[in-house]
Structures are given as C-alpha cells and as structure tokens.
Amino acid sequence: MSIVMIFRIALKALSRNKLRTALTMLGMIIGVAAVITMVALGTGAQTSIEAQIQSTGTNMIIVSAGNFSSGGVRQGQGNASTLTPDDAAAISKVDGVQYTAAGVNTRGQLVYGNQNWNTQIQGTDVDFPFIRSWPPTMGSFFTSQDVTTAAKVVVLGTVVRDQLFGPDADPVGQIIRISNSTATGQTSYPFTVVGVMLSKGQSGVGQDQDDVVFVPYTTVMKKMRGITFIQQTTVSAASATDTSATADRIAALLRVRHKIQPGDPDDFMVRTMEEMASVRVQATQTMTALLASIAGVSLLVGGIGIMNIMLVSVTERTREIGLRMAIGARGSDVLLQFLVEAIVLSLFGGGVGILLGFGLSQGVTLWMKWPTAVSPGAVAIAFGFAGAIGVFFGFYPARKAAALDPIEALRFE
C-alpha cells in the first residue's frame, strides 16, 4: 500500500466517528493550549521579575573605601579616606563601565515651616538615577553644573516629601533647611528642592528606600562634612554578564593608582550584586521546572486519551483488519495505518491547541492585565511534543492491530 492510500484510509476511518474523534482531540487540544498559555504566563512573569530585579541594579558594582589595617585596627567598608573623586573619575573610563556616581553620606535634620524630619542625606552624582533605574517623578535630578559648584540643591524621597509637605504637594522650587553635626560643629544650610524621586518602596533587606534625600556629593564633602575624600563609588556595568570582569578591572586600576604592592592587601572593597543575580537564576530555574511539570502532565493526559481510543478502535475493527490482511495487506501496512491515525489526532489537536493557547494568552492579558509572551520556541516545542505523543501512545495499539492473526480476526464477533 502506498503512503497516500494509507493516509486516505486513516482519515476515512477517523471521519466515520466524528464525535469520538473530536473528543479524543480535545484532550490534546487542552493539553497543548495549557502548555502554550502557561509558557506565555511564565515568560511574561519572568520578564516582569527580571525588570524588577534589574531595577535594583544586578549589574551594579559598589567600590568602597576601607578593608585594611591601620595600627592593628581593621578599617571596614566606608570607614577610611582611601577613595577620592579622582578615583571615581578614573573608574568611569574603565572598559565595561557605563555609569559611575561618587558617594558621600551623612544624616541630617530637614526643616520646612513648622515641619521637620530626620533622614539620610545621600551625596551622589548625576548618573545615580541611571544606575538604579530610579527617575524623578516631579522636577528633575540635579545637574553636572550643580556637582561642579557644590550647589545647595536637593532631591527628595517620597517619604521625606510626605513628612515635610504632604502626600499631594509639589515641593519643587521650595526652600528647606538641612542641619547636620560635623567634627567642627553644627551646620545649617538652605537647600532648593529641584525634584522628587519615584517611590521605590522597601529594599530586599527591609530598608525604606524612599526615606532619603539626594544632594551633590561635592556639597556633602565641602559644606556638610568638610572632607576631601569619598566613601564609595557606585558603578553600573555596561552588561550584566560582564559585571565580574568589570569589577576585576576596577580593582586592578585602583591597586595601580593607590600604589599597592603585589601581596599587600587592598585599601578598598569591590562588591557586585551577586545576591540579586542568584535570585534571578533561582527564579528562572523554578519557573522552568514548574512549566516543564505542567507541560508533562497536560500532554500525558492527552496521550493517554489517544491510546485509549485507539485500543477501542482496534477492538471494534478487528474483522476489518482480518479481512484486509486476508486479501494481502502486510502487518506493516496495518501498523502504519493505525499509527497515522494516532499522529493525525495528536497533530491536528496540537494545531488547534496552539491557536487556543494564543487566544487564551491574549485573553489573560486583556482581562486580568497580566503580562504574557508567546515565544516561537514554545510553539515549536509544543507542536513537536504533540507529534511525539501521537507516535509514542499510538504505537502500542498499532502494533497490537498488526499482530492480529487474520483467521482469528475474521472469526471475531
């Protein structure tokens, strides 16, 4: 028998029981549609997770002063004067560095009218919003000119804005006073509010990231603390995959600039956001395992349905099989015929399931506002698995049909 004839016989056999064929396909349709929809949801959720993690700066590198002994006393992170603004400028030219922001921090009392609030004052540079993916929601961040002139300008976190001005106020252009204690005494300066940062919420360790104000680091150095060094430099690598290599290049540069001899300890610390990167890897692995389990169960159910119906079909058509073999059909022809029927069921059901999966994915996006993304790879894998399921679960009924004895099959009632 030619392959074309086998296909014609298989399709004719399937069309004789349209309702049963449709119900058999339904299992595969639901299975493939579930896989497509789940993969779309998983991919969308994974993209959302990636964006949230990326907003915390997975490609961020922190270069801090410290990490050496002085008079038997260990100098920890940020507790030394070994980093300078010139170091930060040199780091910005390292291969693989996209943004840099020198940093000097302190605390102070902020006063506006009869309201006051004690908070962290973070001295930083103009690249900070790009490093942290943290733009202002009102006004703007301070400029390079403000940093050069050590201008008395301030950008408020939303918590500070709420405490001093109220949650619905626009404080841009208002004057507040910032007081802080230094080694030389108490200082108090008027600062102009130039912006309010977008609300960031709590960090992974429970710190309120909105309870902070940002000023030029030169202003903190010269007017609030009276120092000539910086505490740290925050760096953004151009690529998340190149973060470790970029950190190594920064460390090598600082050892040369600080004239550190081979074998001597560093007088600085370079740290990457390894914890955030590990969270991303674990989230990806968990999502992949979950989707693989769902895909396996869904397709398994559809495959069992096909096997069940094919076994029933072999029983019902025993006399037909015996007659066909009695007039010259080979066992391989019978096997191929039933195998083709199983594959047609699975592939046609898989095709309809893919279309249904696309529709369900779009429906979830429209109705529930959940992000979804159907990848071509997921479609190809689902369709390929549908064909494989048809072969796997259709082979046993087809082999059983091919192994029938023609005489016994003709006597079957």
Side-chain angles (χ1 to χ4, degrees), residues 9-10 12-17 20-21 24 305-322 324 334 337-339 341-342 345 394 397-398 400-401 404 412:
I9 294 173
K12 189 175 182 180
L14 292 174
S15 64
R16 282 202 298 262
N17 296 283
R20 187 171 69 182
T21 300
T24 304
I306 290 176
M307 176 183 279
N308 182 46
I309 293 301
M310 293 306 299
L311 286 172
V312 172
S313 180
V314 170
T315 303
E316 288 180 346
R317 296 157 61 188
T318 300
R319 289 176 60 84
E320 174 192 331
I321 295 169
R324 187 163 294 159
V334 176
Q337 176 191 336
F338 280 87
L339 195 58
E341 290 182 24
L345 284 171
K400 183 177 180 181
L404 288 174
F412 183 81

Side-chain angles (χ1 to χ4, degrees), residues 277-302:
S278 66
V279 168
R280 179 174 60 181
V281 171
Q282 291 175 8
T284 302
Q285 291 175 345
T286 302
M287 192 68 67
T288 301
L290 175 62
L291 294 176
S293 301
I294 293 173
V297 172
S298 301
L299 292 175
L300 183 64
V301 171

Side-chain angles (χ1 to χ4, degrees), residues 254-272:
L254 291 179
R255 286 186 66 86
V256 172
R257 287 184 57 85
H258 295 184
K259 297 180 174 60
I260 300 174
Q261 299 300 316
D264 291 344
D266 297 334
D267 60 358
F268 57 88
M269 302 176 75
V270 180
R271 293 289 183 268
T272 60

Side-chain angles (χ1 to χ4, degrees), residues 68-234:
F68 70 99
S69 295
S70 177
V73 178
R74 294 283 291 175
Q75 300 293 319
Q77 179 178 352
N79 295 325
S81 57
T82 54
L83 280 181
T84 66
D86 289 339
D87 288 331
I91 289 172
S92 67
K93 297 179 174 62
V94 171
D95 184 34
V97 171
Q98 186 176 23
Y99 300 113
T100 58
V104 185
N105 301 330
T106 186
R107 290 196 69 85
Q109 196 75 21
L110 280 62
V111 179
Y112 177 75
N114 61 352
Q115 303 295 325
N116 68 91
W117 186 253
N118 188 280
T119 189
Q120 179 186 3
I121 302 170
Q122 187 166 341
T124 186
D125 210 341
V126 294
D127 284 347
F128 178 82
F130 304 106
I131 295 173
R132 292 294 309 277
S133 300
W134 192 0
T137 187
M138 292 181 180
S140 62
F141 211 69
F142 50 78
T143 65
S144 299
Q145 181 67 21
D146 294 329
V147 175
T148 302
T149 60
K152 294 189 287 294
V153 292
V154 60
V155 182
L156 307 180
T158 53
V159 168
V160 180
R161 186 274 310 271
D162 294 348
Q163 294 298 326
L164 295 182
F165 297 93
D168 300 321
D170 182 359
V172 175
Q174 300 296 323
I175 306 296
I176 64 173
R177 296 197 68 85
I178 300 180
S179 303
N180 76 304
S181 300
T182 65
T184 58
Q186 187 80 10
T187 62
S188 179
Y189 294 100
F191 279 74
T192 302
V193 178
V194 296
V196 177
M197 299 300 284
L198 187 70
S199 180
K200 197 76 166 177
Q202 290 195 341
S203 67
V205 295
Q207 178 185 0
D208 191 343
Q209 300 178 87
D210 299 322
D211 190 4
V212 64
V213 296
F214 301 97
V215 301
Y217 76 92
T218 50
T219 304
V220 178
M221 285 175 55
K222 299 175 182 179
K223 297 180 179 178
M224 304 185 74
R225 295 192 57 180
I227 57 178
T228 59
F229 58 88
I230 60 176
Q231 292 175 295
Q232 65 182 26
T233 297
T234 307

Side-chain angles (χ1 to χ4, degrees), residues 344-360:
V344 168
L345 284 171
S346 60
L347 289 183
F348 192 83
V352 177
I354 289 172
L355 295 177
L356 181 60
F358 270 100
L360 289 174

